[in-house]
Amino acid sequence: MTGPWDRSGLLALTVTIMGGLGVLTAAILSLGSPAWQAPGNLVVLGAFGLVIAIGEFWSLNAAGFRESAPAATAAAFGLAFTLEASEGFWIPYAADVVIAVAGVAMALGVSARYLTGRPVHPVGIIGRLVAIVIVVLLYRAVHIPQPVGSPPSAGGLAPWQRALLMLAIAGLGVLGDVLLTSSVVLPDGVRAWRRAFGDEVRQTFVLSSALAVTGVLIALAARPLGVVALPLFLMPLVLSQFAFRRYVSIRATYLQSIRTLSRLTDIAGYTPPGHGERVARLSVSVGRGLGVTGRELLDLEYAALLHDIGQVALIEPIPGGATVLAAPADQRRIERDSVEIIRETGV
């Protein structure tokens, strides 16, 4: 079965509904928390919630890359780990409050993104929420089973021990995100899933490490700096997002150049109109079915678009543009000419 209601589509819809119900449940359970009664707590929770919403609105999304919201995720990790908003000011909120604040803030950011016409990917959003829930539960429900109210609630760990613990928990949260998204968006088959999971880990390792470290730094710096630690340590991630958007813009221009070059055989009458685009769509579809993801899938699309470019060097067109009908020597010549043309154009 194919289409929007295949296994992946139904699983994605189920996970999305469960994520929304989970956030709603956490919000209801947190209504009686003392965290909502102190103005100081509201300032802290409001600052983190605002940053999470803005970070979710300005998420990163580009072909060949995994959709992510670095600032929002790092801020949510920081909220989960922050025990002291300034020296002596301990924050009495438990796991349900953190999940409620992060979930509602994400929902607001996603809604604003949808209303402005930007793409929304439910699986990626729920994956980030799952990572946040894992971090919150492991740290605030397992490591600190009681609401924070005094220094002993930090578990009696030295700062470096606490930092290592937070890094390990953040790593588990990110791993949960990767496991979920790999299972939802890919077809059946252990081999395809294993390969896709490995690609996801390699693709997200650097960014995930930055998210985990940033969340821990925010929590550790909140004691001497207060909420100022939030924008201070998120600034490198924000600047990286601007650089990434610039790179995506350049690569979009690059892809347009490749598409224009692929139409050269159509214009010259060597292939039927739209042949390269059709082959590219089919190749990408087959590639996804085989578990190809990330940059490899993008390279496959590029190769499919340019696979016939060498035909422009032929004296007479091949009937229908089908290279399979050409003599073996002509096929090898088309291959060599394709490589030379691509090399000369710099794509």
Side-chain angles (χ1 to χ4, degrees):
M1 183 169 58
T2 60
W5 299 110
D6 60 6
R7 171 188 169 277
S8 297
L10 289 173
L11 187 54
L13 178 62
T14 302
V15 170
T16 302
I17 294 174
M18 291 177 62
L21 292 176
V23 172
L24 181 61
T25 301
I28 294 173
L29 292 176
S30 69
L31 292 177
S33 172
W36 307 113
Q37 301 172 8
N41 295 334
L42 293 178
V43 170
V44 175
L45 295 174
F48 275 98
L50 179 63
V51 172
I52 293 171
I54 294 175
E56 193 64 46
F57 176 76
W58 291 106
S59 64
L60 298 177
N61 182 40
F65 290 93
R66 191 168 180 267
E67 194 252 359
S68 62
T73 308
F77 285 1
L79 176 62
F81 292 138
T82 298
L83 305 181
E84 201 173 2
S86 61
E87 191 168 354
F89 178 59
W90 294 84
I91 310 172
Y93 55 73
D96 53 355
V97 176
V98 181
I99 296 173
V101 171
V104 171
M106 290 177 65
L108 292 175
V110 171
S111 299
R113 196 196 322 164
Y114 177 78
L115 291 175
T116 55
R118 300 180 62 202
V120 173
H121 301 278
V123 174
I125 297 165
I126 297 302
R128 290 192 290 278
L129 181 61
V130 166
I132 295 167
V133 170
I134 291 174
V135 169
V136 172
L137 293 180
L138 288 179
Y139 193 72
R140 289 198 169 270
V142 177
H143 175 59
I144 307 174
Q146 301 297 326
V148 179
S150 60
S153 298
L157 300 178
W160 68 270
Q161 293 174 322
R162 184 178 161 218
L164 289 179
L165 175 64
M166 289 189 291
L167 282 174
I169 291 176
L172 290 175
V174 172
L175 183 62
D177 177 11
V178 174
L179 281 170
L180 174 70
T181 53
S182 299
S183 302
V184 170
V185 302
L186 289 174
D188 294 324
V190 175
R191 184 176 180 182
W193 178 87
R194 189 185 299 121
R195 175 180 178 181
F197 176 73
D199 290 341
E200 286 278 305
V201 171
R202 286 190 295 271
Q203 185 178 354
T204 61
F205 178 77
V206 175
L207 180 59
S208 299
S209 301
L211 297 178
V213 171
T214 302
V216 172
L217 287 175
I218 291 172
L220 294 176
R223 184 174 185 269
L225 299 177
V227 293
V228 177
L230 188 57
L232 180 64
F233 288 98
L234 284 178
M235 188 57 64
L237 282 179
V238 174
L239 295 177
S240 298
Q241 284 191 236
F242 281 111
F244 179 80
R245 292 181 188 282
R246 174 72 174 173
Y247 169 73
V248 169
S249 176
I250 293 173
R251 204 176 67 169
T253 304
Y254 175 79
L255 179 57
Q256 290 176 0
S257 300
I258 290 178
R259 292 188 184 280
T260 301
L261 186 61
S262 71
R263 297 189 186 101
L264 184 59
T265 53
D266 298 355
I267 297 172
Y270 287 90
T271 54
H275 173 68
E277 296 281 352
R278 289 191 295 273
V279 173
R281 286 195 299 270
L282 179 61
S283 300
V284 170
S285 178
V286 172
R288 285 201 181 100
L290 294 174
V292 178
T293 60
R295 183 55 192 259
E296 287 185 344
L297 195 64
L298 200 61
D299 289 340
L300 177 62
E301 182 181 7
Y302 290 167
L305 285 170
L306 299 175
H307 75 285
D308 270 339
I309 191 65
Q311 289 196 33
V312 296
L314 296 176
I315 298 176
E316 294 290 338
I318 302 172
T323 52
V324 69
L325 300 178
D330 288 334
Q331 292 181 13
R332 289 192 294 271
R333 178 185 173 188
I334 293 171
E335 176 189 350
R336 289 193 302 268
D337 290 340
S338 296
V339 172
E340 288 300 321
I341 291 172
I342 293 170
R343 182 181 293 121
E344 289 295 325
T345 55
V347 300

